[in-house]
Amino acid sequence: MKKRLLTYVMLLIGMAAFSQNRPKLVVGIAVDQMRWDYLYRYYEEYGNGGFKRLMNEGFNCENCQINYIPSVTAIGHTSIFTGSVPSIHGIAGNNFLIDGKMAYCAGDTTVQTVGSDTKAGQMSPRNLQVTTIGDELKTATNWQSKVIGVSFKDRAAILPAGHSADAAYWFDKKALCFITSTYYMDKLPEWVRQYNGKIQSEIKNLVKNSKTGEKASDLVQYYPYGNEITLGMAKGAIKNEHLGQGKTTDMLTLSFSCPDIVGHRYGTHHQKTREQYVNLDKQLAELFGYLDEKVGKGNYLVFLSADHGAANGILQNQAHKIPSDGFFVDKEEPALNEHLQKVFGVEKLSQRIMDYKVVLNHERILSAGLDEAKVRKAVVDYFKTRKSVAYCFDLEQIPMASVPALIREKAVNGYNHERSGDIQIILKPGYYGVWREIDGGTTHGCWNPYDCHIPFLLMGWGVEHGSTQAECHITDIAPTICSLIHIQMPSGCIGKAVVQVTDDH
C-alpha cells in the first residue's frame, strides 16, 4: 500500500514538474486559404491587437512553404498538426481512395450526428493514420490535458484535434448550428446548446433584415459572421471547458474557414476578401484579449498558419497580361477516355481526375486484359500534349520523372500509394482547375508559391520576438510546438523544429 502511495505521489510530483515547463494553454490557429502576403497587403488596415500583435510581439517565420502536392484543405490542416505529409499521414486530399472507392477525408458512417437531425455529423478522425500535437500532449500528461477542435468546416475541426480529442465542433449549414458526432460524445454540452440557440436567433434576424435575398447559409459563410460565430464557439470552449485553468496544459485547435469560401467565389483581390481579413484581424484581437483575461498574458502559446494559399484569378491575370488559363476538368475527363478508347478499344479506362491526378479504372484494365504499364504511358503521353500542362508523370515512377527536384519532392510527399491517383499532372504557372467556365473566383492545389507560401507566426509562452527568412515547411510547425512545450513530436512527423524559434527557449 505504501509503495502504491509513493508511486502515486511521485507521479503527481512529476506531472507538476512538467507543468512548470509548459504553458497553461496551446492555441493552434489555421486560416483557410491565407496567402502569406495577406499579412502585408492589408497591413495598414490591421489594428494593433491581431496580426500586428503576432508580428510585433511574437516570432514570424516569413518563408514557410508547403512541401507536398496537392495543397488542399484537409491535407493542410492535417500536416500543420502532425508534422507529416499525405504519403505518411494518409489524408491524401479532401476526398481520396480507400480500398479503391472514393471516401471523404473525415467521413465515418459508424458514428451519428450529435446536435442536429442531419447526416453532417457522420464524421471522425479515423482515416488519419498518425498522431497530432494534441494526441501527444494528452499522452505526455497521462490524458489529463483537454484537447478541443473548433471550426466552421468539419474536417478543419476534426483532423487538427486528433484521435484522442475530448471534442470537435463544426457548423451544420442545414441545421444552422454547431454539431459534433458520437465519436466524441452522446449529447451536446448545455453551453453549446445555449450558444446554438443564440446564433439561430441571430441568423433569423440576418435573413429578415437582408436586402440581398440570400439564403441563411450564404449569409453566414460569405460574410464575417461565419468567422464571428466560430470565434464565439472557441471562447465558449475556453470558458465552459475551463481550458488553461487546470494543472496540466490544454489545447484548442481553431480554424477560420470563411476566407476560403469567400476566396473561391470572389478571388484574391475582391473587396469581400479584404473584408474577411480586416474583420478577422479584429476577431484575432478579440481572441487574444480574451486569452489575456482568462488564461493570463504569457501563460498561453498561440501559433497561426494556413492550410494553403490561393492563385490570383485567371481573368485578373489575363487583364494584366500575365500568362494564365484554365484546366477544364469537366472537359479533360471525357476527352482522356475518348483518347484511350481509340488507342485500346475499351471505354472509360480512367475513373476521374482528382487533385490533378488521374485515377485509372484498374478493374476495367484488368478485365480487358490490357497491359497497365502501356495505359499509364498513354495517359502521360496524352497530357504532355495539352496546352495547360507543364509536366505529366507516372506516380509509381516519380524518381524517373524529368521535372525540377522541388516538384519531384512535393510529388513524393503527396503520393499515398493506397489512397492517391495514378498519374500526376503538373500545370503551367498561372493555370488551375476549372469546372464549366472561368469566373472571378479562384482555387488552389498546385505546387506554386501562390498556393504554397503560407504564414507561420508564434506568440506568447516561450517565444522571443523576432523573425527569420530561412526556409521552413508546414511539416516543421508541429515539431517546433512540441519542442517548445517539451513533448514528443507526432508519430508520423518528418519535420524539424525551427531552431530560430526554439534555440533561446
Side-chain angles (χ1 to χ4, degrees):
M1 183 66 182
K2 289 182 179 179
K3 187 176 181 180
R4 287 183 183 178
L5 181 60
L6 179 62
T7 301
Y8 179 68
V9 170
M10 292 301 294
L11 176 63
L12 290 178
I13 293 172
M15 289 175 62
F18 273 118
S19 68
Q20 294 171 7
N21 293 314
R22 297 189 184 116
K24 291 183 177 181
L25 179 64
V26 178
V27 181
I29 302 171
V31 183
D32 205 325
Q33 201 182 120
M34 184 175 180
R35 292 166 53 115
W36 162 83
D37 58 349
Y38 287 167
L39 288 174
Y40 299 96
R41 182 180 300 175
Y42 308 118
Y43 187 84
E44 296 304 322
E45 298 185 69
Y46 294 150
N48 293 322
F51 288 117
K52 283 184 179 178
R53 181 175 172 186
L54 284 169
M55 298 167 76
N56 296 332
E57 290 186 21
F59 196 95
N60 187 354
C61 298
E62 295 270 18
N63 192 16
C64 187
Q65 303 283 339
I66 291 174
N67 54 345
Y68 53 78
I69 46 178
S71 46
V72 297
T73 298
I75 302 178
H77 281 83
T78 303
S79 297
I80 289 171
F81 290 90
T82 65
S84 192
V85 291
S87 177
I88 298 170
H89 63 53
I91 303 301
N94 294 335
N95 299 279
F96 47 81
L97 299 166
I98 295 182
D99 298 328
K101 297 180 180 180
M102 290 302 299
Y104 179 61
C105 58
D108 186 351
T109 57
T110 70
V111 298
Q112 301 302 316
T113 304
V114 174
S116 79
D117 294 328
T118 76
K119 294 183 179 181
Q122 291 191 300
M123 306 286 169
S124 84
R126 287 192 171 114
N127 291 330
L128 175 62
Q129 296 178 327
V130 301
T131 60
T132 64
I133 300 171
D135 290 326
E136 295 300 332
L137 176 62
K138 289 183 79 75
T139 302
T141 63
N142 287 312
W143 294 273
Q144 298 301 303
S145 297
K146 278 190 176 181
V147 176
I148 294 176
V150 173
S151 180
F152 194 83
K153 291 182 180 178
D154 48 48
R155 54 186 179 269
I158 294 166
L159 298 171
H163 299 279
S164 59
D166 297 272
Y169 301 105
W170 56 95
F171 193 74
D172 185 333
K173 291 190 286 186
K174 289 184 178 180
L176 301 176
C177 62
F178 280 93
I179 60 171
T180 188
S181 84
T182 51
Y183 179 89
Y184 304 99
M185 62 190 72
D186 294 326
K187 64 179 181 178
L188 288 178
E190 180 60 29
W191 70 266
V192 178
R193 291 198 291 271
Q194 290 182 6
Y195 184 67
N196 279 336
K198 175 179 177 292
I199 62 176
Q200 286 174 330
S201 177
E202 291 177 351
I203 293 170
K204 287 181 181 178
N205 287 331
L206 284 175
V207 173
K208 181 180 178 181
N209 297 324
S210 173
K211 297 179 181 179
T212 63
E214 292 174 278
K215 61 183 181 180
S217 60
D218 286 348
L219 287 171
V220 173
Q221 62 187 346
Y222 289 112
Y223 294 86
Y225 183 73
N227 284 341
E228 183 180 324
I229 61 175
T230 302
L231 172 61
M233 271 296 291
K235 290 169 62 178
I238 294 168
K239 177 182 177 181
N240 294 282
E241 301 297 339
H242 309 291
L243 299 183
Q245 306 299 310
K247 295 181 179 179
T248 55
T249 303
D250 297 321
M251 184 170 190
L252 172 70
T253 70
L254 173 60
S255 177
F256 292 101
S257 303
C258 294
D260 179 75
I261 299 168
V262 169
H264 276 292
R265 175 177 283 192
Y266 297 104
T268 58
H269 284 71
H270 196 277
Q271 171 66 15
K272 286 189 176 294
T273 298
R274 185 202 68 83
E275 182 183 56
Q276 281 284 316
Y277 282 92
V278 172
N279 279 279
L280 178 58
D281 176 67
K282 297 175 183 176
Q283 291 153 354
L284 289 173
E286 182 180 341
L287 173 63
F288 300 154
Y290 191 78
L291 289 168
D292 290 343
E293 175 189 345
K294 292 293 184 181
V295 184
K297 188 174 182 179
N299 290 329
Y300 62 88
L301 168 64
V302 63
F303 65 94
L304 180 146
S305 189
D307 54 349
H308 54 73
N312 288 323
I314 293 168
L315 298 180
Q316 174 186 303
N317 284 340
Q318 291 175 346
H320 293 86
K321 303 178 182 179
I322 297 172
S324 190
D325 211 338
F327 176 79
F328 292 86
V329 180
D330 53 323
K331 295 179 181 179
E332 293 290 349
E333 286 181 338
L336 171 62
N337 271 319
E338 288 176 14
H339 172 75
L340 294 176
Q341 185 174 354
K342 289 179 182 178
V343 175
F344 298 102
V346 180
E347 293 182 334
K348 298 181 179 179
L349 292 178
S350 167
Q351 292 189 57
R352 61 180 53 82
I353 297 173
M354 173 183 69
D355 293 329
Y356 306 105
K357 293 180 176 70
V358 177
V359 180
L360 295 176
N361 190 328
H362 297 279
E363 291 184 3
R364 191 175 291 270
I365 292 170
L366 181 63
S367 64
L370 299 176
D371 184 338
E372 185 172 306
K374 291 182 178 179
V375 177
R376 287 172 175 263
K377 184 177 185 304
V379 174
V380 170
D381 290 344
Y382 171 79
F383 277 111
K384 284 183 176 180
T385 68
R386 308 303 288 170
K387 172 187 173 184
S388 57
V389 176
Y391 307 101
C392 186
F393 50 88
D394 187 336
L395 283 164
E396 290 289 349
Q397 303 293 331
I398 298 176
M400 307 298 293
S402 297
V403 299
L406 175 67
I407 296 176
R408 184 182 298 112
E409 179 185 1
K410 290 190 177 190
V412 169
N413 287 341
Y415 176 53
N416 187 294
H417 76 278
E418 294 178 330
R419 296 183 170 188
S420 298
D422 302 287
I423 308 295
Q424 180 70 60
I425 300 167
I426 304 293
L427 301 182
K428 294 177 180 177
Y431 287 68
Y432 56 75
V434 173
W435 284 259
R436 292 180 292 280
E437 62 182 5
I438 298 171
D439 58 22
T442 189
T443 192
H444 49 86
C446 297
W447 68 270
N448 311 76
Y450 43 77
D451 281 354
C452 291
H453 189 184
I454 55 174
F456 175 32
L457 303 108
L458 310 92
M459 182 182 74
W461 191 91
V463 177
E464 300 291 332
H465 173 57
S467 67
T468 180
Q469 293 288 344
E471 181 176 337
C472 66
H473 300 119
I474 191 171
T475 48
D476 297 331
I477 296 173
T480 301
I481 302 305
C482 291
S483 177
L484 285 172
I485 64 174
H486 307 295
I487 64 172
Q488 183 59 273
M489 63 186 69
S491 61
C493 182
I494 65 166
K496 298 178 180 179
V498 178
V499 295
Q500 293 88 343
V501 177
T502 61
D503 270 3
D504 293 331
H505 182 56

